[in-house]
Amino acid sequence: MPVHLQGPWSFLFGRLTLHAIPYDNVIILFAFTLAAVAGIAIVLPVLYFKKIPYLWREWITTVDHKKIGVMYIIVGLVMMFRGFFDGLMIRTQQVLADGPHSPHFLDASHGYIPPYHFDQIYSSHGTIMILFAVTPILTGLTNVIVPLQVGARDMAFPYMNALSLWLTAMGAALVMVSLFVGDFSDAGWSGLIPLTELPFSPGVGVDYWVWSIQISSIGTTLNAVNMIATIVMMRAPGMTWFRLPVFTWTTLSTNIIGLTAFPVLGVALAMLSCDRYIGTHFFTAGLGGNLMLYTNLFWIWGHPEVYFLVLPAFGIFSEIIPAFSHRPLFGYTTMVAATFAIAGIAWLVWLHHFFTMGAGPGVNTFFSVATMLVGVPTGVKVFNWVFTMYRGRLTFETPMLWCLGGLFMLLAGGLTGMMLAMPAIDYTVHNSVFVVAHFHCMVLLIAYAIFGAVIFWFPKVFGMQLDERSGKLFFWTFSTGSILVFVAMFALGFMGETRRLDYLYDPHMLPLLIIQEIGIGFYGLSVLIFAWMLFVSLRNRNTSLESDPWGTSRTLEWLTRTPVPFYNFAVTPQINARDELDWRRRSGLDLSHPDRFAPIHMPGNTMIPILIGICSFGLGFGMIWRIWWMAGGGLLAIIALVIFRSFQHTPGYMLQPGEIAAMERRTAASGIIAEQPSRPPLMEAGAH
Amino acid sequence: MAPVKCSHVKEHLSKWLTWPLVGLALIPLGGCGEEFRLFYPKGPVAAAQLKYTMIDVGIMLLIILPTTLMLCLFIWRYGKARKAAYDPDWAHSMTIELLIWGGPIAIVALLAVFTYESVIETNPYDPTVLRAPAGTQVPAQAPLEIDVITTDWQWFFIYPKQHIATIDDLVVPQGRVVRLRMTSTSVTNDFFIPQLAPMIDVMPGMQTRDAFSSDGPGTFTGFSADFSGAGFSWMQFSTRVMSGDGFSSWVAGVQAGQAQPNRGALSYAVFQKLAHPTLNIGAKPGYFASVDTGVFNRAVTDALNGLTYPVPADLTEKMAPDSGPSNQRRSSENGKGS
Amino acid sequence: MAIHQRPATPDSVLWQHEAEAHDDIATRTLGFWLYMMSDALIFAALFAAYGVLDQTTNLAGGPGAHQIVHPLAGFWQTLAVMTSVFAYSLASVAMKMRSQPGVILYITIALVLGLVFIGLELGDFARLIALGDGPDRSGFLSIYFVLIGTHGLHMAFGILWMLVMIVQVARSGFTPSIVARLLNLRMFWQFQASVWVCVYAFVYLRGAF
Ligand code: HEA
Ligand code: HEA
Ligand code: CUA
Ligand SMILES: [Cu+2]
């Protein structure tokens, strides 16, 4: 069953040859230099200050949900930066390659990037932004917040949590490696079939795409298991279902989607791999394959996936808007119902991504109406937020600004989404940049929610607030960028600009393209301001914060000390109301912290997850380059590690009341994150 | 492309829904021209699509616009500094909650009606807008049949009755219904002429159909709308609508080998040579004075039997920079096109 | 504006001072259930794909289901799976009686029966491939091999897991985590058996008749 490969193959290195390293490509060389400088800038201080043991002990081997969440978010932000850079390159190419008389540089016939390279850029942009930027950041946020919101010590399965993180990180690492060793897929983030089949994509690009997604989505699925189990089993006493904060509800629904949708993607990609590796005929046009099967399977995952992303963003809105309206959320029950309605309908609409495939009027109408139905619960949510502000006392701190900006994005994206949902309209704008503009409104709404959430919860985790002034500047430059790029993009859609073009045939588009280029300039500025914001905040930090630094927060996570100690709550809180903190504050209750402590059982650190992560990287890299010994070795090592871990007795350790009291006092005084005490673990029997 | 007066647009807009979309079109440039192709339909199908775009947007604005206004109003009205009424507890109202579920449901129900109507009217396989309106007794001319084959990365238009074929040049007579049968030899493409014909996928081993007719003569851009690889950006074709007589004489000219560049006869063997991946920079057309019958059907069966035209590695990725004959193509791509 | 009275709050309204008791085994069981839910979706997608690719157009001139499956051959495999599940149930009973040798014995039996199952399946595969009807022959055979092979991989994984459990029970007896693992393995094994029943009905019986 060996498949025919273009190019050489050797036992030791598989398809890998020196040619795979594009040392002769100016752009990649530049990117490589950038990455190398950034890498050195990070590694050198770490070495110099001898921080490796600290990193190893406190971060890399940790099972603390907050630290894992923070690492998720860092991975996501770094990938988002990469995604932004891709966006910059896309926009610059298009503005330079408009019309037959456009200039050309470097290797290209128009613009500065030849087609195969351009196609990789937007493919990696889409893949990265959706799966390696926004997904990890949201997973990280839910990791940090949800256990605190339900009053748990940690996630249900802390070790598995670390494993999820490292699998996701290794997927991201594979994408980054593809920049310097070989190529990435050039067939779009959705893996257009049969373009991804071996005859049309003979290189390793598609394999990079497949394996990085496969590995990271196993991490996402495990995280979904973990999150659902945490919400179901780990709630504090008194935290009944209808006292759960809405963010927790959206996390629950999102992870139900994740748990059920990602396996379908896994199957689709596995079948594609079979086609590419052993010559099966799942998705080939000939010999009994069915390429529409892939398209269906992909979107059966792909559509729920976009709601997988947007629901936590809705949850974030539902936390931040009440906090800065100084009012409870309007219509809690309808909000929860709408959340699950969205998640439910998400399963019934996938065909709207290919109305143009030639299905009959009946089928198209069914999926069209089903799609429009999503507008109903989404609308309910919008109205609930609007009525939350009614008779409120709004203050416009940065988190609130991001949420309000996000609401406008939602309205614009929703209006255009509903247009696409009508097949007669979709026949004119499918695969045009109108679609691209629609979904950027939506994904930007998520980005807005993310920035709001990071700024909102930052003090809780790090014990210091981010600078408001530069934060607002960040908001306004970013929003200017969004408006300039994407309003112009809608207009280009009406001109009939197809998406994924490295050369534009119509010189009339130039004015709009220039507007977009100015917009991307604002985006670039906003990234600099973001970095400046971090710097200023760190320089002027004030670490003696109350447990609720905003003074208006409402939910449980704000009850414990700031920054949150690694054991979360010194004593598990008893829940009395939906917005527990608000209830305590307004009942005139003592908001101070408990002074009587019982021993706490904590899980110990472990290095197994990071080791499994590294082996999965080896497995992926080996499969991509068809270095069979490396792939096989990686797989065996993973199995061995899992078995080894099941033989380990890892009962964790006990914190004694005296220690807790001391640490509580120290956190309150210094505002510094407490480090875990190093301590010999317990025997298993003692833990239970 | 003659500039079109504003009044032309209005003909196609249902009256009460005119302003929102015109407004939308005006925003970006403060002016407009025919490059906003979707607003300048040149045939019944495209016009129907524009009509439904208007209706759809209009109905949705009924709810989106008030929502936006309400949002702006509340942000302005309830800012802390304005000291408006403050109610720290109110969080539930049965009336409002019924309204916010009921309103959108009503809107969606209304949209659903138009969706169904529009799907029937513009169904690419059989757009009912192309049928003669009931009652009128126009002696309908038989539709013009054209077979479309996409390769990596060119369009072949075969006129089976006329026994001619073209590359990247679609010529049709005005007013007559054109029916297309489409397939691909390689990957999936998407047939689209913004001002005339709705989009429909073109897939290997399968046949899809599309249909359109045109209001008057002109030249309109058509292209592939589904990414298909390195040469995708150059997969445009011009659609030339001619008068009936003009079309006939054009056909005669091609048959006589006068259309340049004339590539002679299109047998299946010739077609197979041309079907190998070619970056057609500048979308250069070509003409065939005669065509063997059955080229289209053989392309479909061969794809079903597993025939592919593999893309050389160096056209997609830089795996093997020196793998054989495709080098030439690569260098032609490096040279500045058109 | 509601009036909030200040309740006389004993500390216990606000804090839960008793050591928290989350049911560890129940949590692990729920977690494993959830994992199996996603596994079930893998099979659902594969069955759907089988439904799509089981048309005459997908045969590409190769053999169809009725030519390659035989209900009787599938029957022996079904028998092996079912008795294996039964043996594992006996192991569960032995676990309740805290009998180490009992558990080890019955798991070994379940394991051997699982091996028989896999052996039969590999035999089928080898025969087909020798005839030139491997997974690269046609779209239908691709999904046939991958659907059945995916189930087989799960079975192989279960067998590996049983091996590990035999060693663990022999070494450490019934610690809470080992009990939790034994329970999860039982769920896993029953789940694979029910997937096989679907395969038998959907591929073997539907193909043969
Ligand atoms: C979550 C998803 C997401 C996000 C956020 C974005 C964000 C952006 N995208 Fe993306 N895009 C996609 C998902 C996304 N995109 C997808 C799926 C596609 C389709 C791909 C395909 O066709 O296959 C696509 C395609 C796409 C195209 C279309 C190419 C084409 O088909 O012709 C373009 C063109 O302009 C584009 C531009 C942009 C721009 C300018 C942004 C900007 O909004 C970016 C703004 C971001 C920033 C400004 C960065 C902020 C970062 C920080 C503040 C962190 C900094 C961190 C450190 C310094 C450590 N995108
Ligand atoms: C987070 C991301 C996200 C979200 C939330 C959405 C939300 C929606 N999307 Fe979008 N969509 C994408 C991401 C997203 N989408 C992506 C990435 C693609 C392209 C993928 C690719 O091809 O690469 C895409 C493509 C896409 C298509 C296919 C287009 C094509 O390829 O031709 C369609 C078609 O129906 C569609 C529709 C919708 C609809 C109806 C909604 C609805 O959920 C919107 C609902 C919201 C509102 C309607 C606004 C608020 C409501 C009110 C104020 C109430 C009253 C209103 C009414 C009742 C009308 N989307
Ligand atoms: Cu033409 Cu306004
Ligand atoms: Cu969708």
Side-chain angles (χ1 to χ4, degrees):
Chain A
M1 284 178 272
V3 290
H4 171 75
L5 292 175
Q6 295 187 27
W9 182 88
S10 67
F11 176 79
L12 211 51
F13 297 109
R15 304 183 82 182
L16 192 56
T17 60
L18 264 186
H19 285 304
I21 297 167
Y23 44 81
D24 54 351
N25 184 311
V26 187
I27 300 167
I28 293 183
L29 216 58
F30 174 72
F32 180 78
T33 320
L34 205 73
V37 169
I40 290 169
I42 294 170
V43 170
L44 268 190
V46 167
L47 286 178
Y48 183 77
F49 294 110
K50 301 207 173 54
K51 282 291 187 189
I52 287 185
Y54 165 80
L55 277 183
W56 181 257
R57 179 165 39 85
E58 286 292 320
W59 293 90
I60 294 175
T61 62
T62 188
V63 293
D64 178 346
H65 70 97
K66 298 171 292 298
K67 287 186 175 152
I68 290 175
V70 169
M71 285 189 280
Y72 262 120
I73 296 174
I74 292 174
V75 169
L77 281 178
V78 170
M79 296 308 281
M80 195 178 218
F81 180 70
R82 157 90 201 265
F84 155 73
F85 221 84
D86 290 337
L88 176 67
M89 290 174 73
I90 296 172
R91 292 266 36 93
T92 309
Q93 165 72 11
Q94 290 192 339
V95 76
L96 289 178
D98 179 36
H101 304 293
S102 49
H104 70 112
F105 311 98
L106 302 177
D107 218 7
S109 61
H110 291 268
Y112 69 108
I113 316 176
Y116 56 82
H117 189 189
F118 179 82
D119 304 338
Q120 289 175 45
I121 292 176
Y122 70 71
S123 303
S124 60
H125 167 81
T127 310
I128 285 177
M129 280 298 204
I130 291 204
L131 285 159
F132 298 105
V134 168
T135 303
I137 296 178
L138 290 174
T139 311
L141 280 168
T142 54
N143 247 293
V144 173
I145 304 306
V146 167
L148 289 169
Q149 276 195 337
V150 302
R153 281 264 175 269
D154 205 321
M155 299 278 280
F157 312 109
Y159 299 95
M160 201 168 85
N161 201 19
L163 181 58
S164 310
L165 165 72
W166 292 115
L167 289 176
T168 306
M170 290 305 159
L174 274 179
V175 179
M176 292 309 277
V177 165
S178 78
L179 189 56
F180 309 121
V181 186
D183 299 277
F184 197 69
S185 169
D186 61 353
W189 81 283
S190 51
L192 299 166
I193 201 80
L195 191 58
T196 45
E197 291 281 345
L198 205 52
F200 311 108
S201 295
V204 294
V206 172
D207 301 323
Y208 264 114
W209 175 77
V210 165
W211 288 100
S212 59
I213 295 180
Q214 240 5 346
I215 289 172
S216 75
S217 61
I218 292 175
T220 310
T221 314
L222 292 181
N223 179 70
V225 170
N226 211 338
M227 220 42 144
I228 298 173
T230 305
I231 296 173
V232 174
M233 302 297 283
M234 309 293 279
R235 284 168 291 145
M239 181 59 91
T240 57
W241 283 106
F242 281 89
R243 283 181 185 161
L244 282 183
V246 174
F247 183 66
T248 302
W249 272 117
T250 56
T251 307
L252 182 64
S253 62
T254 264
N255 282 299
I256 293 175
I257 295 180
L259 185 72
T260 43
F262 274 90
V264 181
L265 174 68
V267 167
L269 294 183
M271 288 176 170
L272 179 61
S273 308
C274 286
D275 279 7
R276 288 180 64 86
Y277 284 83
I278 57 173
T280 54
H281 294 285
F282 283 107
F283 308 135
T284 53
L287 296 178
N290 185 332
L291 47 98
M292 293 178 307
L293 176 64
Y294 172 85
T295 314
N296 276 283
L297 286 175
F298 183 88
W299 288 114
I300 286 176
W301 164 79
H303 185 84
E305 161 71 8
V306 302
Y307 293 108
F308 173 86
L309 299 179
V310 90
L311 284 173
F314 288 166
I316 290 166
F317 288 174
S318 305
E319 299 292 322
I320 295 182
I321 291 178
F324 295 101
S325 300
H326 301 211
R327 269 177 37 68
L329 183 69
F330 178 85
Y332 173 91
T333 326
T334 15
M335 202 60 141
V336 175
T339 303
F340 281 85
I342 294 176
I345 305 175
W347 281 98
L348 303 175
V349 305
W350 77 89
L351 194 132
H352 68 210
H353 291 278
F354 43 96
F355 280 139
T356 61
M357 213 193 249
V363 174
N364 276 0
T365 308
F366 172 83
F367 281 96
S368 162
V369 175
T371 303
M372 290 176 176
L373 276 179
V374 184
V376 176
T378 315
V380 168
K381 281 177 170 281
V382 173
F383 290 119
N384 279 340
W385 293 316
V386 170
F387 281 109
T388 301
M389 290 188 273
Y390 176 72
R391 300 208 159 184
R393 202 165 264 175
L394 276 58
T395 51
F396 301 100
E397 281 89 346
T398 19
M400 184 68 164
L401 281 186
W402 285 108
C403 286
L404 295 178
L407 277 186
F408 286 104
M409 287 288 172
L410 174 60
L411 287 169
L415 176 76
T416 49
M418 298 289 277
M419 289 170 71
L420 295 170
M422 194 182 254
I425 305 178
D426 195 56
Y427 291 148
T428 65
V429 286
H430 174 61
N431 273 340
S432 72
V433 293
F434 185 85
V435 173
V436 179
H438 151 67
F439 71 72
H440 276 88
C441 284
M442 288 306 198
V443 294
L444 278 173
L445 132 86
I446 302 169
Y448 274 57
I450 283 173
F451 291 131
V454 166
I455 296 172
F456 185 56
W457 278 298
F458 195 88
K460 196 69 218 173
V461 175
F462 291 105
M464 53 177 257
Q465 252 162 327
L466 288 174
D467 182 52
E468 279 282 304
R469 240 174 63 101
S470 46
K472 284 185 178 157
L473 199 59
F474 175 42
F475 171 80
W476 289 112
T477 40
F478 192 93
S479 298
T480 311
S482 305
I483 292 169
L484 290 179
V485 173
F486 294 108
V487 170
M489 204 183 265
F490 278 122
L492 284 164
F494 289 121
M495 296 172 74
E497 185 198 337
T498 306
R499 63 195 284 195
R500 297 170 171 153
L501 289 174
D502 65 285
Y503 160 78
L504 307 176
Y505 50 85
D506 186 353
H508 288 104
M509 294 171 181
L510 196 59
L512 289 169
L513 293 171
I514 291 174
I515 293 179
Q516 289 186 306
E517 193 65 14
I518 299 171
I520 198 84
F522 273 94
Y523 272 136
L525 200 63
S526 81
V527 174
L528 295 180
I529 296 174
F530 178 85
W532 173 247
M533 174 180 79
L534 289 185
F535 171 73
V536 173
S537 317
L538 213 61
R539 196 188 54 193
N540 307 344
R541 67 182 169 279
N542 161 16
T543 50
S544 53
L545 291 179
E546 299 288 306
S547 45
D548 172 19
W550 301 105
T552 56
S553 315
R554 314 177 65 86
T555 39
L556 193 59
E557 73 271 26
W558 302 98
L559 191 62
T560 182
R561 293 204 186 276
T562 296
V564 187
F566 62 90
Y567 44 79
N568 286 4
F569 297 92
V571 177
T572 304
Q574 173 80 35
I575 314 303
N576 302 282
R578 192 171 283 160
D579 291 342
E580 176 70 12
L581 179 68
D582 185 58
W583 180 83
R584 292 190 183 195
R585 186 181 327 140
R586 297 215 289 153
S587 309
L589 284 172
D590 186 5
L591 287 186
S592 72
H593 301 269
D595 44 18
R596 217 150 44 79
F597 304 105
I600 300 176
H601 173 220
M602 297 298 299
N605 287 6
T606 169
M607 58 193 233
I608 304 275
I610 176 82
L611 291 183
I612 294 183
I614 291 171
C615 294
S616 68
F617 182 89
L619 167 64
F621 194 81
M623 287 306 290
I624 289 162
W625 290 98
R626 301 179 195 231
I627 313 173
W628 305 126
W629 59 264
M630 187 189 275
L635 184 62
L636 287 181
I638 292 174
I639 295 174
L641 280 166
V642 172
I643 294 180
F644 173 75
R645 157 103 184 108
S646 79
F647 276 93
Q648 264 188 329
H649 299 285
T650 47
Y653 58 92
M654 270 338 225
L655 280 181
Q656 297 308 327
E659 290 174 288
I660 303 173
M663 278 188 283
E664 284 280 288
R665 246 180 285 119
R666 226 178 318 128
T667 312
S670 67
I672 288 171
I673 309 175
E675 289 187 18
Q676 299 184 34
S678 49
R679 160 103 44 88
L682 299 165
M683 294 307 295
E684 177 161 25
H688 291 277
Chain B
M1 268 185 255
V4 173
K5 298 243 171 67
C6 293
S7 54
H8 277 247
V9 197
K10 294 216 174 106
E11 288 169 12
H12 303 293
L13 308 181
S14 30
K15 269 174 256 144
W16 56 286
L17 289 170
T18 309
W19 57 272
L21 247 257
V22 172
L24 215 73
L26 291 184
I27 295 170
L29 280 190
C32 64
E34 206 172 339
E35 64 268 17
F36 284 88
R37 293 179 178 78
L38 299 191
F39 298 132
Y40 295 87
K42 288 294 157 57
V45 185
Q49 289 169 332
L50 179 61
K51 181 183 86 184
Y52 284 108
T53 309
M54 299 298 156
I55 294 176
D56 189 69
V57 172
I59 294 176
M60 277 189 303
L61 284 183
L62 290 181
I63 191 159
I64 300 263
L65 214 58
T67 314
T68 314
L69 290 179
M70 197 158 71
L71 178 60
C72 295
L73 179 75
F74 288 180
I75 291 174
W76 171 78
R77 184 79 185 82
Y78 296 106
K80 192 176 183 184
R82 300 198 69 82
K83 301 213 166 54
Y86 175 52
D87 184 346
D89 287 310
W90 179 72
H92 176 73
S93 151
M94 206 54 185
T95 335
I96 292 184
E97 279 172 46
L98 283 179
L99 272 178
I100 62 181
W101 283 93
I105 288 178
I107 297 280
V108 169
L110 192 58
L111 287 174
V113 175
F114 283 105
T115 294
Y116 186 66
E117 202 181 294
S118 69
V119 166
I120 302 285
E121 268 185 37
T122 63
N123 171 21
Y125 277 51
D126 179 20
T128 57
V129 282
L130 289 187
R131 295 191 189 156
T136 54
Q137 291 292 309
V138 193
Q141 243 182 321
L144 173 68
E145 313 268 347
I146 301 178
D147 290 343
V148 183
I149 311 179
T150 62
T151 64
D152 279 339
W153 289 275
Q154 305 189 77
W155 293 91
F156 284 78
F157 298 104
I158 302 176
Y159 296 69
K161 299 264 167 55
Q162 287 75 14
H163 303 287
I164 56 167
T166 71
I167 292 177
D168 288 348
D169 193 15
L170 176 63
V171 179
V172 297
Q174 103 185 43
R176 188 161 157 199
V177 173
V178 181
R179 288 193 182 276
L180 306 158
R181 205 159 59 125
M182 305 189 280
T183 193
S184 165
T185 57
S186 58
V187 302
T188 303
N189 278 296
D190 207 334
F191 177 89
F192 188 35
I193 311 170
Q195 286 161 285
L196 292 175
M199 215 180 273
I200 204 78
D201 285 7
V202 184
M203 295 172 284
M206 284 173 261
Q207 289 181 38
T208 46
R209 289 168 189 282
D210 206 348
F212 68 93
S213 74
S214 49
D215 295 340
T219 304
F220 310 102
T221 313
F223 43 80
S224 170
D226 198 358
F227 179 71
S228 54
F232 164 70
S233 298
W234 294 102
M235 275 186 81
Q236 297 102 38
F237 56 88
S238 55
T239 312
R240 293 190 283 150
V241 180
M242 299 181 169
S243 65
D245 295 342
F247 178 70
S248 306
S249 57
W250 174 79
V251 169
V254 176
Q255 282 166 341
Q258 285 158 4
Q260 289 304 328
N262 178 21
R263 302 266 194 102
L266 186 66
S267 65
Y268 189 64
V270 170
F271 172 78
Q272 284 197 300
K273 270 206 202 88
L274 294 171
H276 282 284
T278 312
L279 291 166
N280 189 9
I281 289 196
K284 299 179 199 72
Y287 301 90
F288 300 90
S290 71
V291 183
D292 288 3
T293 45
V295 170
F296 183 88
N297 288 341
R298 282 194 65 183
V300 176
T301 19
D302 270 359
L304 279 176
N305 290 332
L307 179 72
T308 55
Y309 298 87
V311 177
D314 66 338
L315 269 185
T316 56
E317 301 171 15
K318 296 153 292 167
M319 288 281 309
D322 33 38
S323 67
S326 46
N327 251 354
Q328 259 172 327
R329 245 175 260 111
R330 173 111 182 269
S331 54
S332 78
E333 169 237 326
N334 284 339
K336 189 160 156 50
S338 57
Chain C
M1 206 197 208
I3 295 158
H4 291 277
Q5 280 152 356
R6 187 188 172 118
T9 41
D11 208 27
S12 66
V13 172
L14 300 182
W15 307 106
Q16 176 74 25
H17 279 291
E18 292 81 66
E20 65 267 41
H22 288 292
D23 186 343
D24 203 35
I25 293 193
T27 309
R28 288 173 73 152
T29 310
L30 173 69
F32 198 73
W33 250 106
L34 292 169
Y35 151 72
M36 287 206 311
M37 171 97 166
S38 71
D39 214 17
L41 266 127
I42 292 185
F43 283 111
L46 285 170
F47 276 114
Y50 187 92
V52 171
L53 292 173
D54 183 21
Q55 320 287 337
T56 33
T57 46
N58 301 109
L59 299 182
H66 59 285
Q67 282 148 299
I68 58 171
V69 299
H70 196 288
L72 203 61
F75 176 74
W76 294 121
Q77 278 175 280
T78 314
L79 204 64
V81 171
M82 288 305 164
T83 42
S84 177
V85 168
F86 180 66
Y88 198 97
S89 317
L90 294 180
S92 307
V93 176
M95 185 185 81
K96 287 223 178 69
M97 301 190 312
R98 310 221 126 228
S99 152
Q100 253 161 295
V103 169
I104 293 173
L105 172 70
Y106 289 122
I107 293 189
T108 313
I109 295 176
L111 187 154
V112 170
L113 286 165
L115 283 176
V116 169
F117 173 90
I118 291 191
L120 288 171
E121 189 163 301
L122 288 180
D124 277 355
F125 279 9
R127 217 170 20 257
L128 280 174
I129 291 173
L131 286 173
D133 295 331
D136 53 349
R137 175 69 187 81
S138 72
F140 167 71
L141 282 168
S142 302
I143 188 64
Y144 171 84
F145 273 88
V146 167
L147 171 62
I148 295 185
T150 307
H151 176 262
L153 269 181
H154 278 79
M155 294 293 285
F157 177 72
I159 288 171
L160 184 65
W161 191 352
M162 287 187 192
L163 268 177
V164 170
M165 289 323 295
I166 291 175
V167 177
Q168 291 195 344
V169 171
R171 266 178 49 148
S172 335
F174 301 107
T175 66
S177 18
I178 290 183
V179 171
R181 271 178 223 138
L182 285 171
L183 292 176
N184 287 345
L185 178 52
R186 183 176 66 174
M187 265 199 304
F188 181 79
W189 206 235
Q190 287 168 344
F191 174 64
Q192 296 316 325
S194 42
V195 171
W196 175 257
V197 170
C198 296
V199 172
Y200 188 59
F202 204 66
V203 177
Y204 284 77
L205 296 183
R206 190 165 150 273
F209 299 114

